[in-house]
Amino acid sequence: MSRPPLAVRRASPRAAAWALRVLWRFGRPHTLIGTSLSIVGLYVIAASLDRASNAVDLLWTLLAGLCVNVFITGINQIEDVEIDRLNKPWLPIAAGDLSLEAARRVVAVAAIAPVLMAITQGVAETVAVGVALAIGWAYSCPPLRLKRYPALAAGSITFVRSLVVNLGVWLHIAGAPISAGVWALIAVTVPFSFAIAVLKDVPDIEGDRRFGIATFSVRLGPGPVLAVGVGALTLGGLGMAVAGPLLLDDADPAVLVAGQLLGLAALWRWALRVDPTDPIAFAAFYQRVWQLFFCEYLLVPLAYLVG
């Protein structure tokens, strides 16, 4: 038997645990983990160069980043309820575990809280939070609803993940000048973010087509989109393996090269085995791409610590 919507359930320890699990799903766990690792990884690089602010500042930055993440993923689910009932019926609103009213309250808090925190933390964080919230709203909500336009949709996700997060967090915790390691992370997360942006729609072709969302997957088909995504990831990994050791004087080159090549080997192994026309299998492949994205924010800081 399904549980009643979050908004109407009585308060109890069991209900509180259930509510936390629903909110975790609402925030899309892979994106929450990616945001957390991005912020912590940048902080570790700054600390290795003796440029990091204090740990309390890291916690506030992390909290603000997670709130922005919840806003972006949440507003998308609010606007896409009918599409999600076809594409992702397990999401909290589509599954009936979270009411629209409760979801709107969560999203409102997730928008207001990081703005208030950022204002007290300085200009860099305020600008980064404001830009990310604005792009997240424009991606999902009318009248702009950028997700209807494949290039703008991919560009929006890439811009936030690779530029806004990396530059905004670094300037807040370490200030100028921007470390070569940050530029390297930007260079490798651009193709990663682009690949994530295009690959995420492959399992959702049926629902997107029915509701007039002309993603690259709808226009080109799953096979070509898989090829484009894997090509972008390969370019990014090889670029970091070649250029990283030459440009990052404070990082260990063996860690950078070995890590990138192992990641690419895993990527190609997964890509050659996945059937792009199988939504369940491709969704699992997509989650593995996120795991490689996580690894970039572990690998580069590790190279700095070892170096």
Side-chain angles (χ1 to χ4, degrees):
M1 180 180 297
S2 63
R3 295 174 180 263
L6 178 65
V8 300
R9 202 169 300 132
R10 291 182 178 181
S12 71
R14 182 175 294 180
W18 171 256
L20 289 175
R21 288 196 295 270
V22 170
L23 292 176
W24 174 247
R25 288 161 53 208
F26 188 59
R28 306 305 305 276
H30 58 283
T31 66
L32 292 171
I33 295 170
T35 296
S36 300
L37 288 176
S38 301
I39 294 170
V40 173
L42 289 163
Y43 186 88
V44 170
I45 294 174
S48 73
L49 299 174
D50 295 321
R51 292 181 56 186
S53 54
N54 59 61
V56 174
D57 191 35
L58 169 63
L59 291 177
W60 282 114
T61 304
L62 188 59
L63 181 58
L66 292 176
C67 285
V68 172
N69 197 125
V70 170
F71 170 83
I72 292 173
T73 59
I75 198 70
N76 183 257
Q77 291 172 65
I78 289 171
E79 294 294 329
D80 285 3
V81 176
E82 296 302 322
I83 300 176
D84 287 341
R85 284 176 179 151
L86 283 175
N87 289 341
K88 303 180 181 73
W90 59 86
L91 290 178
I93 302 176
D97 294 328
L98 184 65
S99 69
L100 275 172
E101 179 184 357
R104 291 189 181 102
R105 289 200 297 267
V106 171
V107 165
V109 171
I112 295 170
V115 171
L116 295 178
M117 285 186 281
I119 289 173
T120 67
Q121 297 296 304
V123 174
E125 185 171 334
T126 302
V127 172
V129 165
V131 171
L133 290 173
I135 293 176
W137 173 85
Y139 177 86
S140 296
C141 298
L144 296 178
R145 200 158 163 77
L146 300 179
K147 67 176 297 175
R148 296 176 297 170
Y149 312 104
L152 290 177
S156 298
I157 295 171
T158 302
F159 182 72
V160 171
R161 278 282 169 195
S162 60
L163 288 174
V164 175
V165 172
N166 289 318
L167 290 179
V169 171
W170 179 266
L171 289 173
H172 172 62
I173 64 177
I178 298 169
S179 166
V182 179
W183 291 118
L185 275 172
I186 290 173
V188 76
T189 54
V190 164
F192 255 98
S193 300
F194 172 77
I196 285 170
V198 297
L199 293 174
K200 75 179 182 63
D201 297 319
V202 171
D204 300 339
I205 290 177
E206 179 184 352
D208 289 340
R209 182 182 288 120
R210 183 175 300 185
F211 286 90
I213 307 297
T215 63
F216 283 123
S217 297
V218 170
R219 293 187 175 191
L220 303 177
V225 169
L226 171 62
V228 169
V230 171
L233 293 170
T234 302
L235 180 64
L238 289 177
M240 177 66 88
V242 174
L246 298 176
L247 300 177
L248 306 184
D249 295 332
D250 298 310
D252 185 88
V255 172
L256 290 173
V257 174
Q260 296 298 333
L261 294 181
L262 286 173
L264 285 175
L267 169 68
W268 275 92
R269 181 173 182 268
W270 299 332
L272 291 172
R273 293 185 174 190
V274 71
D275 178 2
T277 64
D278 181 343
I280 295 176
F282 199 90
F285 169 76
Y286 174 69
Q287 290 299 320
R288 292 190 179 105
V289 171
W290 269 97
Q291 292 168 16
L292 294 178
F293 179 81
F294 301 159
C295 288
E296 294 295 341
Y297 283 97
L298 297 173
L299 183 64
V300 177
L302 176 63
Y304 269 88
L305 291 175
V306 173

